[in-house]
Amino acid sequence: MEENKPKQRYKDETDKNGNYQIFFELKDDELKPYDSADPVSRGFQLTFDLDNLPKDTYFMPTEVNRLNESQKLFFSYDNRSFEKGEIYERHLYVPQKQWIEVTVVNNQPLGGNSDFAIRNWITYGSGRWSDNDYSKGELACVDYPIKLTEEEVQTFRVPCAANDSNRIALACAEGATTGWYETISPIQKVYVTKDKPGSLQLENNLLAKEFRFKLKAWSDGRTVAPFENIVFLITDWDGKESISIPSSLCSYYDSIVWSADGYPDHLTIYRDLGIPHYTNISEWRCHFFQNKPLYTRLQGYRNGRVMFSDSVQTVIGPRDFLRYDWDDPTISIDAPHYVCSCPLYKEAAFHYYLPAEQNGHLYSKVTLVRNDYETDDAMFTERARKTLSGLMDYHLGEQKSFDLAMAGSLFHCLPTGVKAIAYWQTPSTHALLIEAEAEEGTYPSVYIHAEPR
C-alpha cells in the first residue's frame, strides 16, 4: 500500500550572510519502520523549484543534467534515512555565472560528423550526482556546445561558476554518439572571479574518425604457432574492410607503416610518391619466428610526425617443433615445404618442411632461403649455420653434447653421409644441425633435421 501526503510544516530564516535556511520536523509515527501488519510506505521527497531564478545569472538544473526536464532539484528519503532525535542537513548550492573567454587551438582536421563542447565540472546542488553520467566525484558536469570550423584559432564566451573552482576541458561527440560528449583535452583547473582568469586556452588534438584506422589480424584472438601464416589488414575506424586503403586515409597521411618492438625492419603499406606512383597495401601476410605474444603497431605519418597509431596483439604459443605438434591430426603427411618470411625481419626467410613420414616415422626439416645477391657459397653456408643455430637455441634451448655414432638409435629418418654440427632436445623433440655431403666443387648444404622423441 502506498500513500502520498504533502507536508507543509516548516520554518525558514536568512542569516546575515544571505544564506537561506529552511527547517522541517518529522513526527514519531512518520519514522515508524515498515511493518507488514501496517504496510504504509514512508518516503519523503524534498523538491526545490529554481524556475524563478534568472537563467542568465545562475546555473540551472537543465544545464547541469541534460536528463532534467524542469528546473527542479529532487532529494528522496525513506524512514531508514533518519533516527529519532537526530538532526540532518542537506546543503543546496546554486552558483552564479561568470563568463570568460576560452580560446580553442585546432591542431587537427575536423570530421564531417563531429560536435564539440567546452566541458566544465562545477560544485552544484547537494554535491551528489550519482544520477549524472558525466559527474566527477561530487562535481556536476556542464557541457557548453560550440561550433568549430577549420580555422586554427577560435574564441568562445563560456559560463563558469563565479568565485569558485572550475575544471574545464574540450569535449567531442562523433557520429551516432552526437550529443554525448567525451573529454578530449587535459582538464584545466581555474578559480574564476570577476577579474580572472579572463581567458583560457584549450587545444583540439583529436583526429576525426575518417582519418583514423584499425589494425586487425585474422588470428581472431586464438593462439597461433611459430611459422604459421598470419594475415593482417587495415580497416577504417568502424572496422569496414576494403580491397584498398580508404581514400580518406590516403588524402591525409604521407605514409602508413607497420612495425614491432624488437624487430629491425618495417613494412610501408601506404606511401604517397606522387600520382600515379604510390604504395597501397590493405592486406599483408607474415610468419613470426618467435613463440610468445607480440604487439605490432600501425602508424600514420604526416609531415614527419606520427598522427595516429593502432596496435594488435598476436598470441603466439610454442609447439613441439615450430608450427606443429607431432601428434597434430591436421598435419598433411604428403605436404611439401613452404617459405616462411617476416616483413619485420627481412634478413632471414626459411623453407619449412611440414612433418613427413618415412618407414612409419615422422621427421621435419628447416633450411635457410638463399638471397639472390648471395653469390659467395662459403659466406652463405656460414650464415646458414649461424641463423639456423640461433633459431634452434631460441625454440629448443641450449645445445646438448652429441655423438654421431648414436644417431642410428635416436633418429630414424636421418640421411646417410651427414655431419652433425649441433644437437638440441626437449621432452618431445630432438633436432640436429647437419651438413649434407656436397658434390665436387660445391659447398655442403646446411639444415635442421628434427624428429619426435
Side-chain angles (χ1 to χ4, degrees):
M1 176 178 175
E2 185 170 316
E3 180 183 26
N4 295 315
K5 293 183 178 181
K7 300 295 182 181
Q8 302 296 334
R9 303 184 308 276
Y10 70 91
K11 63 179 180 178
D12 59 347
E13 64 181 36
T14 303
D15 66 17
K16 62 181 180 180
N17 296 319
N19 295 314
Y20 176 75
Q21 302 179 69
I22 186 170
F23 304 88
F24 295 89
E25 292 184 351
L26 297 176
K27 294 181 179 180
D28 290 349
D29 66 328
E30 292 174 330
L31 294 175
K32 183 179 179 181
Y34 182 86
D35 188 339
S36 59
D38 182 21
V40 177
S41 175
R42 293 176 174 83
F44 308 92
Q45 179 171 280
L46 183 59
T47 303
F48 291 91
D49 190 342
L50 308 184
D51 195 48
N52 290 329
L53 289 178
K55 297 175 178 56
D56 292 336
T57 303
Y58 292 92
F59 280 98
M60 305 302 288
T62 52
E63 295 178 275
V64 174
N65 188 341
R66 69 191 66 203
L67 300 179
N68 284 344
E69 297 180 354
S70 68
Q71 306 297 5
K72 296 179 181 179
L73 294 177
F74 303 96
F75 305 101
S76 299
Y77 313 88
D78 60 30
N79 41 349
R80 293 173 299 177
S81 305
F82 306 109
E83 294 289 340
K84 183 178 179 180
E86 297 294 328
I87 297 176
Y88 298 89
E89 294 183 352
R90 172 58 63 91
H91 299 275
L92 181 67
Y93 175 61
V94 180
Q96 291 188 349
K97 294 178 179 178
Q98 177 66 49
W99 296 75
I100 68 170
E101 289 189 349
V102 176
T103 299
V104 177
V105 179
N106 197 23
N107 297 325
Q108 296 287 6
L110 300 178
N113 195 18
S114 299
D115 289 340
F116 291 87
I118 294 176
R119 169 165 283 183
N120 188 3
W121 285 275
I122 61 174
T123 301
Y124 192 85
S126 67
R128 295 183 182 179
W129 285 94
S130 59
D131 61 336
N132 184 351
D133 292 337
Y134 295 89
S135 62
K136 194 174 186 67
E138 293 188 347
L139 301 175
C141 181
V142 180
D143 288 327
Y144 185 77
I146 59 174
K147 181 64 176 179
L148 284 186
T149 67
E150 294 293 343
E151 295 180 44
E152 184 177 353
V153 179
Q154 291 176 260
T155 301
F156 306 90
R157 291 188 73 246
V158 178
C160 295
N163 302 311
D164 206 344
S165 292
N166 295 255
R167 292 160 176 81
I168 301 174
L170 188 64
C172 179
E174 297 183 286
T177 62
T178 297
W180 298 93
Y181 298 98
E182 294 184 6
T183 303
I184 62 170
S185 76
I187 299 172
Q188 299 190 39
K189 183 178 179 180
V190 293
Y191 191 90
V192 176
T193 66
K194 182 179 179 180
D195 302 316
K196 63 179 184 180
S199 63
L200 190 69
Q201 179 172 298
L202 303 174
E203 294 191 8
N204 172 33
N205 293 308
L206 177 70
L207 196 60
K209 285 179 63 175
E210 50 260 53
F211 305 123
R212 284 179 263 167
F213 50 77
K214 286 185 178 179
L215 172 63
K216 297 177 66 176
W218 280 2
S219 54
D220 296 327
R222 65 182 176 87
T223 299
V224 301
F227 281 59
E228 183 175 345
N229 183 36
I230 306 171
V231 178
F232 291 88
L233 61 157
I234 181 175
T235 73
D236 64 17
W237 186 244
D238 294 320
K240 182 181 179 181
E241 302 173 16
S242 62
I243 60 174
S244 62
I245 296 175
S247 59
S248 60
L249 301 180
C250 298
S251 66
Y252 180 69
Y253 295 104
D254 302 325
S255 63
I256 302 175
V257 178
W258 185 57
S259 62
D261 290 336
Y263 279 76
D265 301 312
H266 63 268
L267 175 67
T268 300
I269 68 164
Y270 171 76
R271 176 177 293 160
D272 184 3
L273 300 175
I275 296 176
H277 304 290
Y278 63 90
T279 300
N280 190 321
I281 306 171
S282 64
E283 180 180 306
W284 62 98
R285 300 168 185 269
C286 180
H287 304 84
F288 289 117
F289 308 139
Q290 66 183 66
N291 58 15
K292 57 185 178 181
L294 172 71
Y295 277 97
T296 60
R297 61 179 173 268
L298 205 56
Q299 294 176 304
Y301 287 83
R302 181 181 174 92
N303 298 325
R305 291 178 54 207
V306 175
M307 306 304 293
F308 189 74
S309 176
D310 192 33
S311 64
V312 67
Q313 183 187 46
T314 303
V315 181
I316 309 170
R319 302 292 194 270
D320 289 345
F321 183 65
L322 302 181
R323 179 171 177 177
Y324 287 103
D325 293 323
W326 295 112
D327 60 355
D328 189 337
T330 64
I331 294 177
S332 175
I333 300 300
D334 298 324
H337 68 82
Y338 63 92
V339 174
C340 297
S341 61
C342 177
L344 305 182
Y345 186 67
K346 299 174 184 176
E347 178 181 340
F350 302 92
H351 284 294
Y352 178 57
Y353 291 74
L354 276 67
E357 189 177 66
Q358 179 177 311
N359 299 324
H361 299 283
L362 290 175
Y363 74 97
S364 178
K365 69 177 186 177
V366 181
T367 66
L368 184 69
V369 175
R370 186 167 182 166
N371 297 313
D372 293 338
Y373 59 81
E374 292 183 292
T375 58
D376 190 303
D377 291 338
M379 292 183 64
F380 171 71
T381 300
E382 181 59 31
R383 187 171 78 89
R385 285 196 188 103
K386 182 179 179 180
T387 303
L388 291 171
S389 180
L391 181 69
M392 291 299 100
D393 287 346
Y394 177 83
H395 283 279
L396 302 182
E398 295 181 357
Q399 299 178 20
K400 309 292 184 181
S401 59
F402 179 74
D403 184 354
L404 189 58
M406 301 168 53
S409 61
L410 295 178
F411 293 89
H412 303 282
C413 308
L414 195 65
T416 58
V418 296
K419 175 185 177 182
I421 302 174
Y423 173 72
W424 297 265
Q425 72 174 32
T426 68
S428 62
T429 302
H430 51 189
L432 278 174
L433 175 62
I434 60 177
E435 284 185 357
E437 289 183 340
E439 297 180 2
E440 185 176 352
T442 65
Y443 274 79
S445 59
V446 179
Y447 63 92
I448 297 292
H449 178 94
E451 296 184 21
R453 292 185 67 187

